[in-house]
Amino acid sequence: MNLILFGPPAAGKGTQAKRLVEEKGMVQLSTGDMLRAAIASGSELGLKVKDVLARGDLVTDEIVIALIEDRLTEAEAAGGAIFDGFPRTVAQAEALDEMLAKRGVQIDAVVRLKVDDAALTERIAKRFAEQGRPDDNPESFKVRLEAYNRNTAPLLPYYEAQGKLTEADGMGSIESVAKAIDEALA
Ligand SMILES: Nc1ncnc2c1ncn2[C@@H]1O[C@H](COP(=O)(O)OP(=O)(O)O)[C@@H](O)[C@H]1O
């Protein structure tokens, strides 16, 4: 089973992906986590993307597609992946479909977490105060929301056309969102 957790920045994708991993034994593939790990390690890739992330812009399709491709064998061995923060552009979605097709598998479901902009902004302000993640500052967050609306939201009709899109209310508690995801998947 290959699943995409879809939604705007700070929708709670990472939190829910981690729970699904614990329950179902799949692998979480978060391009955001991979990029932050590269930055933390000081690798060449990390140096290249550090400022892009801090601004809230998207890194190039080429970079994230390569990161995902590197992990697909591992995901296959675990019985599937939960994609979190990927794909974020139509080009990434097309590349993912192709990479999976080559392996004889596909995306089985796309769960969209619906959270309104006011709630997202509130969550991020809180997280910024608590954790100080550089791209959670108000200006960068605005850029991230714009990138979502411009580049990522067009994936909704892409997956709708494939008949794979389901929606879950992402506004409640972690437990209630988990329940909504399970219902969407059932
Ligand atoms: N698929 C992707 N394509 C382009 N950039 C990405 C992608 N995934 C992550 N990034 C970069 O990493 C940042 C953090 O991503 P992520 O951890 O998914 O954050 P969030 O969902 O909280 O916005 C993004 O703002 C972007 O700069």
Side-chain angles (χ1 to χ4, degrees):
M1 163 113 158
N2 289 296
L3 172 70
I4 296 175
L5 276 183
F6 190 90
K13 303 183 294 287
T15 305
Q16 296 298 334
K18 288 191 176 73
R19 177 194 62 99
L20 287 165
V21 164
E22 275 167 26
E23 281 176 18
K24 303 191 198 291
M26 299 147 87
V27 167
Q28 176 191 8
L29 297 183
S30 160
T31 41
D33 285 352
M34 294 176 208
L35 293 166
R36 279 186 290 275
I39 293 169
S41 77
S43 67
E44 199 179 315
L45 171 66
L47 291 173
K48 194 164 158 188
V49 300
K50 189 169 182 223
D51 293 342
V52 182
L53 262 79
R55 278 201 305 274
D57 282 325
L58 296 181
V59 308
T60 63
D61 290 335
E62 198 189 358
I63 287 176
V64 286
I65 289 166
L67 285 172
I68 289 289
E69 189 159 30
D70 279 350
R71 302 285 297 276
L72 286 181
T73 302
E74 178 196 329
E76 207 165 24
I82 298 164
F83 295 93
D84 155 19
F86 181 92
R88 259 178 160 89
T89 66
V90 172
Q92 291 175 23
E94 288 169 350
L96 179 60
D97 280 349
E98 243 172 70
M99 290 189 286
L100 293 176
K102 262 193 217 149
R103 292 167 179 265
V105 290
Q106 57 167 1
I107 292 297
D108 299 292
V110 180
V111 180
R112 173 192 188 189
L113 291 182
K114 291 185 80 172
V115 183
D116 66 44
D117 282 9
L120 295 173
T121 305
E122 200 177 298
R123 280 184 192 179
I124 281 298
K126 185 160 171 262
R127 188 166 81 182
F128 187 50
E130 286 168 3
Q131 301 172 16
R133 201 174 115 178
D135 60 342
D136 283 345
N137 77 72
E139 300 88 85
S140 300
F141 188 66
K142 192 164 163 262
V143 175
R144 283 158 65 197
L145 263 186
E146 283 164 5
Y148 173 78
N149 288 322
R150 183 175 344 110
N151 299 299
T152 309
L155 289 176
L156 291 168
Y158 179 87
Y159 287 115
E160 174 100 78
Q162 294 188 6
K164 292 176 179 168
L165 189 65
T166 56
E167 295 190 338
D169 182 1
M171 296 282 287
S173 65
I174 291 177
E175 294 73 32
S176 69
V177 176
K179 199 160 159 264
I181 291 175
D182 288 344
E183 277 163 13
L185 288 176

